[in-house]
Amino acid sequence: MARFAALAVCAAALLLAVAAGGAAAQGVGSVITRSVYASMLPNRDNSLCPARGFYTYDAFIAAANTFPGFGTTGSADDIKRDLAAFFGQTSHETTGGTRGAADQFQWGYCFKEEISKATSPPYYGRGPIQLTGRSNYDLAGRAIGKDLVSNPDLVSTDAVVSFRTAMWFWMTAQGNKPSCHNVALRRWTPTAADTAAGRVPGYGVITNIINGGLECGMGRNDASVDRIGYYTRYCGMLGTATGGNLDCYTQRNFAS
């Protein structure tokens, strides 16, 4: 009797394991598998990286599952391009790479918070998108059901929360800016004001959404080059084209 009970427990455990594996293999997990994630971010757990051990694959999948449209919308190429763009931007935001090094674009997710902590303290940059400013912490917290205004450190101590703030920013249009998600999916149509400002569909507009005030409309600069380098690498890994208009060198930022 005890033997049959033990077998039943083992069978139940096996079913749960299969179910968990199946869940990860569906949706975003069918494109960003555990092995692909590891290949994209080979140094995220490097001993030189302050975020080592933080940005786990399981945390990424758990967060993605709370945003059903993330990494699941559109054609196969749409999905790959959206994910390549997300990882391209967030890898730059958290990079530990050295400009000009052969492995410059292999050091994404090395940091989980701003080094100097000087920008809008205590709401300085945290997480994959480097969420910054009280307003963003408030809006992101409301969207994911966490009080990030009272406890901003959740973004750098809880990996699922951290990923969720990045995905919230990615999926959400704010003010006169489209969502990064819609731009990546080529579902954004520029307004007359956008056209006059040189803002055209492409990866460059996503950079403009995220950090246009410091990187756009000022010609070629190292930060934008880094963002493009990561994106290009990930598009190659996922087997999709980058599309055109990768930079924002001649675009006016959305606040102008």
Side-chain angles (χ1 to χ4, degrees):
M1 192 72 176
R3 180 171 178 270
F4 287 129
L7 286 172
V9 169
C10 290
L14 179 60
L15 286 172
L16 286 173
V18 169
Q26 295 173 9
V28 69
S30 65
V31 179
I32 308 297
T33 63
R34 191 179 297 273
S35 61
V36 167
Y37 186 81
S39 296
M40 291 171 73
L41 305 168
N43 289 301
R44 74 186 189 283
D45 292 332
N46 191 294
S47 61
L48 297 175
C49 292
R52 62 188 176 275
F54 184 68
Y55 294 116
T56 66
Y57 178 74
D58 290 338
F60 167 71
I61 291 296
N65 286 341
T66 68
F67 288 90
F70 176 81
T72 62
T73 304
S75 68
D77 270 340
D78 288 334
I79 290 169
K80 291 174 182 177
R81 190 170 51 252
D82 188 25
L83 290 169
F86 174 82
F87 278 102
Q89 293 288 347
T90 54
S91 290
H92 166 76
E93 292 292 336
T94 57
T95 188
T98 301
R99 182 165 58 90
D103 65 348
Q104 177 178 349
F105 308 120
Q106 297 180 25
W107 284 86
Y109 288 44
C110 189
F111 289 87
K112 61 180 180 177
E113 57 188 9
E114 185 180 324
I115 298 172
S116 67
K117 300 180 175 59
T119 309
S120 301
Y123 306 110
Y124 53 80
R126 295 178 177 87
I129 205 73
Q130 289 292 280
L131 191 73
T132 306
R134 189 185 193 281
S135 176
N136 277 329
Y137 276 78
D138 183 30
L139 291 171
R142 290 174 185 273
I144 68 173
K146 300 288 184 181
D147 184 359
L148 300 182
V149 171
S150 295
N151 191 5
D153 282 333
L154 270 179
V155 184
S156 56
T157 57
D158 185 317
V160 175
V161 168
S162 196
F163 273 117
R164 290 182 73 195
T165 62
M167 292 169 188
W168 163 80
F169 187 94
W170 193 258
M171 302 293 289
T172 306
Q174 298 183 49
N176 65 332
K177 300 179 182 181
S179 71
C180 300
H181 176 68
N182 276 343
V183 173
L185 294 179
R186 303 177 185 178
R187 297 183 176 184
W188 170 64
T189 301
T191 65
D194 290 319
T195 301
R199 296 190 289 267
V200 293
Y203 184 72
V205 166
I206 299 177
T207 298
N208 203 332
I209 292 168
I210 294 172
N211 205 28
L214 295 178
E215 296 178 32
C216 298
M218 56 190 66
R220 182 184 176 94
N221 58 84
D222 292 338
S224 287
V225 168
D226 196 64
R227 293 180 193 273
I228 294 167
Y230 272 113
Y231 174 59
T232 301
R233 176 171 178 261
Y234 295 146
C235 281
M237 293 181 74
L238 296 179
T240 191
T242 61
N245 302 318
L246 301 186
D247 66 73
C248 61
Y249 301 157
T250 61
Q251 297 179 16
R252 294 204 299 275
N253 68 68
F254 281 92
S256 63

